[in-house]
Amino acid sequence: MKRAQRLTAATLLVACLTSFTMQAANESLAFVGTYTKKSKGIYAYRWNAADGRLTEIGLAAETTNPSFLAIHSNRKYLYAIGEISGGGKKGAITAFAIDAANGKLTQLNQQNTGGPGPCHVAVDQRGLCVVAANYGGGSVVSLPIKADGTLGEAVSFFQHEGSSVNKQRQSGPHAHACNLSPDNRFVFVCDLGLDKIMCYQLDSATAKLTPNDPPFTTAEPGAGPRHLAFHPTGKFAYVINELGNTMTAFEYDAPHGSLKAIQSLSTLPAGFTNKSSCAEVEVHPSGKFVYGSNRGHDSIVVYAVDQNNGKLTLVEHQSTQGRAPRFFGLDPSGQWLLAANQDTDNIVVFRVDTATGKLTPTGQNIQVGAPVCIKFLPVR
């Protein structure tokens, strides 16, 4: 082979390898949790961040009401809540092994959550334990993760007590989410029923929780704190309030695990008076924007973040093109947002303008029964 031909062949090889690497970097698996009156469990999709395409693989695992999912930091395991309540039944957390080649999930084992109606699960950053919130029972539980990905029995369980001002929704505790602090030292539990954000110290090596000092932050009466998200800098946190239809910004004192409210804004447009309630909150990977979902108004609210003080300014409201967006997810690249509309059985894909935070629908509308959670697993 002549030198020029060898150079051409080498150039083509490099180009092919570069293309393959870029394609791999853009690809993820997307796992969708559902309510199983309309579906069968957890569904797998292939996600391409290069063009924002979501392609169905199929049913990854058949399981009851996997309404929230969490993926282990080693990317080998997935943990799913089994939202079961009524008749004295306790909820469950199921451990699955992930087959990244085909998106299939193989059940490893299952443990109960100690209370009814679990609705949220999180894995600590070290991958040593899971924490879960029981909405129906108003409690929080922690369980160790063994070396093989299976779950041990619960080592901590805390039953919340009390009520708040909304007699229909807040007659008792309703723990709604467990969020790890950026340094993995604390677990924050939004309790909708108490109007409190509880805080526990975490010993991830033993999976034990201990009430922090201070043990909680009080929300506005009737707000109903639901989910929490930290800013990438770790200086701020944002709580979306289901009942009050508000977003609250907090300063975060990392050494003490304490939150201080600095601002609260409506998630709804001025003049909107119909029934609505909030659901999910996420901070953009850049830290420049905060997103929240409204069920009733059926929209994503977009705020810009002041990087100096963490305060928010309204950018827009974008229709989710469906009803009851219980969840939405920003993909790992931060270029796309996927909204899961529970009541209309569809997931809608939006492009994110990374300069303004605004959302533009791409025209993709994927049908799946009662989608309520989306988690991405980048494919290496």
Side-chain angles (χ1 to χ4, degrees), residues 198-230:
M198 314 298 289
C199 182
Y200 297 91
Q201 296 177 20
L202 172 66
D203 181 349
S204 60
T206 62
K208 287 186 178 180
L209 300 175
T210 306
N212 188 41
D213 181 15
F216 59 82
T217 299
T218 302
E220 295 177 2
R226 178 183 170 102
H227 281 193
L228 176 152
F230 279 98

Side-chain angles (χ1 to χ4, degrees), residues 10 15 20 56 62 71 112 114 142 149 160 175 181 192 196 209 216 231 264 282 286 290 295 308 323 339 350 372:
F20 177 79
E56 183 178 1
E62 189 165 350
I71 295 175
N112 75 66
S142 64
H160 295 176
S181 63
L192 178 149
K196 292 178 179 178
L209 300 175
F216 59 82
H231 191 272
S264 188
E282 286 201 23
S286 68
V290 171
R295 299 173 295 177
N308 294 316
R323 294 196 307 274
F350 297 84
V372 289

Side-chain angles (χ1 to χ4, degrees), residues 167-292:
K167 300 307 178 185
Q168 288 185 322
R169 297 291 310 276
Q170 297 179 310
S171 60
H174 293 297
H176 217 309
C178 297
N179 294 94
L180 280 297
S181 63
D183 61 8
N184 211 48
R185 295 174 55 225
F186 301 100
V187 176
F188 290 89
V189 182
C190 292
D191 195 307
L192 178 149
L194 304 183
D195 280 327
K196 292 178 179 178
I197 304 159
M198 314 298 289
C199 182
Y200 297 91
Q201 296 177 20
L202 172 66
D203 181 349
S204 60
T206 62
K208 287 186 178 180
L209 300 175
T210 306
N212 188 41
D213 181 15
F216 59 82
T217 299
T218 302
E220 295 177 2
R226 178 183 170 102
H227 281 193
L228 176 152
F230 279 98
H231 191 272
T233 62
K235 296 179 180 179
F236 314 110
Y238 301 92
V239 171
I240 196 162
N241 301 295
E242 178 174 337
L243 306 182
N245 294 297
T246 54
M247 184 78 74
T248 304
F250 293 88
E251 289 180 346
Y252 178 53
D253 181 346
H256 300 97
S258 61
L259 298 167
K260 178 184 176 182
I262 56 174
Q263 183 191 33
S264 188
L265 296 174
S266 175
T267 63
L268 298 170
F272 181 84
T273 57
N274 292 339
K275 185 177 180 181
S276 193
S277 64
C278 292
E280 184 59 279
V281 56
E282 286 201 23
V283 181
H284 192 271
S286 68
K288 294 167 61 177
F289 313 108
V290 171
Y291 299 85

Side-chain angles (χ1 to χ4, degrees), residues 110-125:
Q110 187 178 85
Q111 298 283 4
N112 75 66
T113 63
C119 61
H120 195 273
V121 62
V123 180
D124 88 294
Q125 282 94 313

